[in-house]
Amino acid sequence: QVQLVESGGGLVQAGGSLRLSCAASGSMFSINIMRWYRQAPGKPRELVAAITSGGTTNYADSVKGRFSISRGKGENTLYLQMNSLTPEDTAVYYCNTYSALSGNSWGQGTQVTVSS
């Protein structure tokens, strides 16, 4: 089992920045990939960014060049640095991990609201 707790969301003006954090605990040794998803009202949940255990990253086209995913030194913390935010980035952001042992694990989400 993997437990995930997100933090760092809030209200920011367009053009501003936020840094989301995800604290992970539990069966961390088997995690293959860590991801950030988001879900805006009335829309399906979408993948924002991902990072593998080897450090390979990928991003949704809508956030490339603005968002950066990273892992803490102990690899128990996942970050999402979000710059040049727009109102279209408003959503609940979720931390997700996948491992062969634990399957998919999700955090409770953190709200990001960008005002115009």
Side-chain angles (χ1 to χ4, degrees):
Q1 291 284 348
V2 177
Q3 294 78 43
L4 303 170
V5 179
E6 301 98 334
S7 61
L11 174 64
V12 64
Q13 288 187 332
S17 298
L18 281 176
R19 189 193 197 200
L20 304 184
S21 299
C22 173
S25 60
S27 300
M28 298 292 298
F29 64 91
S30 63
I31 289 178
N32 304 113
I33 190 165
M34 300 183 79
R35 308 177 182 107
W36 286 100
Y37 283 79
R38 67 185 180 187
Q39 188 166 21
K43 294 187 177 181
R45 192 170 294 189
E46 64 171 349
L47 177 65
V48 175
I51 184 167
T52 68
S53 56
T56 300
T57 59
N58 65 71
Y59 299 89
D61 287 343
S62 59
V63 307
K64 280 181 182 176
R66 300 188 299 122
F67 290 13
S68 177
I69 188 172
S70 62
R71 298 175 73 161
K73 287 184 179 180
E75 300 196 345
N76 285 358
T77 306
L78 181 69
Y79 300 104
L80 185 67
Q81 178 66 43
M82 306 186 294
N83 300 325
S84 302
L85 286 161
T86 74
E88 288 68 37
D89 296 313
T90 295
V92 178
Y93 284 71
Y94 297 91
C95 179
N96 163 271
T97 63
Y98 175 80
S99 74
L101 183 65
S102 302
N104 268 308
S105 299
W106 294 91
Q108 83 288 349
T110 185
Q111 175 71 47
V112 172
T113 303
V114 185
S115 64
S116 57

